[in-house]
């Protein structure tokens, strides 16, 4: 496969880049749900248009990494399937939906993967896990009250991309997530346990934030990914990546 991008997901996807030569994976663009820059969105839109045109011209499958975050799906405890009505809550979410529409309407075969909060090696310091590890080491952690995140191991994202392409899935939208949003404080406590450190927690009072997405479609297509949904999933990720950071 041809991988567009140099970020942490692109670096992890390199493990399977010698497979699926007809696929082009777009793993570049705006990554922060807080982004609202028109200039950044315009550059990203131009890149998506360029890659989709190339895929259409060459008859290649375009794999577009979208978002399964609250920015696209909104907040709520009802699992959101891929065909749910979308009501983006931010400029970032509106941009994800706009780009998905460009990809689906490009005339090229496509696969849109709505990815939750991917976690793993080579993340940038500001991203959730490395940021919390550093904050715990510094002795002070800032936590938003009631915040939840659906964390998915980037290794499982790579398995999903590889497996879906192996099966020839195309012209589909698939959530890639654990399906279980976890309290952010549980993540922090898990980090503290593994580091043997206990930081001061600064709790910020903000509106409750929880987004639950359905992974039924993912697990139906790739039954081997069902362990992603089990109760030990967070512990396994923290055991693997806290020492790395």
């Amino acid at each position: 496969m041809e991988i567009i991008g140099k970020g942490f997901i692109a670096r992890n996807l390199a493990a399977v880049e010698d497979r699926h030569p007809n696929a082009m994976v777009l793993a570049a663009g705006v990554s922060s749900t807080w982004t609202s820059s028109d200039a950044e969105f315009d550059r990203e839109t131009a890149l998506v248009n360029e890659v989709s045109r190339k895929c259409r011209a060459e008859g290649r499958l375009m794999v577009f990494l979208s978002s399964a975050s609250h920015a696209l799906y909104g907040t709520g405890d009802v699992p959101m399937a891929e065909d749910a009505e979308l009501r983006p809550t931010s400029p970032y979410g509106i941009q994800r939906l706009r780009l998905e529409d460009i990809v689906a309407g490009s005339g090229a075969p496509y696969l849109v993967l709505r990815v939750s909060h991917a976690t793993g090696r080579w993340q940038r310091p500001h991203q959730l896990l490395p940021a919390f590890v550093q904050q715990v080491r510094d002795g002070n952690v800032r936590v938003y009250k009631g915040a939840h995140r659906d964390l998915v191991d980037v290794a499982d994202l790579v398995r999903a991309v590889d497996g879906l392409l192996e099966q020839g899935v195309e012209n589909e939208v698939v959530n890639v997530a654990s399906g279980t949003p976890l309290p952010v404080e549980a993540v922090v406590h898990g980090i503290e346990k593994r580091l043997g450190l206990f930081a001061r927690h600064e709790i910020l009072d903000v509106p409750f934030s929880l987004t639950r997405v359905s992974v039924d479609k993912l697990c139906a297509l790739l039954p081997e990914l069902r362990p992603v949904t089990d109760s030990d999933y967070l512990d396994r990720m923290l055991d693997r990546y806290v020492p790395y950071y």
Side-chain angles (χ1 to χ4, degrees), residues 125 129-142 188 191-192 195-202 245:
L129 184 57
F132 275 146
V133 169
Q134 187 59 53
Q135 288 179 42
V136 169
R137 293 180 65 189
D138 290 342
N140 189 75
V141 179
R142 177 172 291 185
V188 174
I191 293 170
E192 290 175 325
L195 293 180
L197 300 171
F198 296 94
R200 173 183 174 272
H201 291 199
E202 180 184 357
Y245 286 112

Side-chain angles (χ1 to χ4, degrees), residues 139-214:
N140 189 75
V141 179
R142 177 172 291 185
V143 179
Y144 294 111
K145 183 178 180 180
H148 288 64
R149 293 293 183 270
D150 183 322
L151 304 182
V152 63
D153 191 329
V154 70
D156 290 320
L157 170 58
V158 173
R159 290 170 62 203
V161 171
D162 189 36
L164 293 170
L165 293 180
E166 181 69 23
Q167 288 197 21
V169 178
E170 63 178 54
N171 300 334
E172 295 281 358
V173 178
V174 182
N175 290 330
V176 181
S178 74
T180 305
L182 299 168
V184 168
E185 289 185 63
V187 179
V188 174
H189 289 314
I191 293 170
E192 290 175 325
K193 177 181 177 182
R194 285 157 180 82
L195 293 180
L197 300 171
F198 296 94
R200 173 183 174 272
H201 291 199
E202 180 184 357
I203 309 297
L204 302 182
D205 194 6
V206 297
F208 183 76
S209 173
L210 182 148
T211 303
R212 190 181 300 276
V213 299
S214 171

Side-chain angles (χ1 to χ4, degrees), residues 19-89:
R19 294 167 55 79
H20 318 296
N22 194 49
M24 184 177 293
V25 182
L26 183 53
V30 175
S31 61
S32 173
T33 58
W34 299 102
T35 301
S36 60
S37 167
D38 287 341
E40 288 191 48
F41 289 153
D42 288 345
R43 284 193 294 271
E44 184 180 45
T45 301
L47 177 61
V48 170
N49 277 312
E50 177 187 349
V51 173
S52 61
R53 284 195 298 268
K54 182 175 182 181
C55 286
R56 182 180 66 241
E58 299 177 2
R60 300 177 70 181
L61 176 71
M62 180 175 179
V63 182
F64 177 65
L65 302 184
S66 187
S67 173
S69 72
H70 69 281
L72 185 64
Y73 275 122
T75 298
D77 197 31
V78 176
M80 302 288 283
E82 291 83 354
D83 59 356
E85 181 181 0
L86 298 177
R87 297 177 179 176
T89 61

Side-chain angles (χ1 to χ4, degrees), residues 82 164 167 169 174-175 214-226 229:
E82 291 83 354
L164 293 170
Q167 288 197 21
V169 178
V174 182
N175 290 330
S214 171
V215 292
D216 289 348
K217 186 174 184 177
L218 175 69
C219 291
L221 290 166
L222 298 174
E224 64 272 23
L225 282 181
R226 285 199 179 277
T229 65

Side-chain angles (χ1 to χ4, degrees), residues 9 26 63-69 72 92-93 95-97 99-100 111-116 173:
I9 290 178
L26 183 53
V63 182
F64 177 65
L65 302 184
S66 187
S67 173
S69 72
L72 185 64
Y92 175 86
Q95 173 73 351
R96 293 305 98 195
L97 185 55
L99 296 180
E100 287 188 14
L111 177 60
V112 172
L113 302 181
R114 291 182 182 155
V115 183
S116 63
V173 178

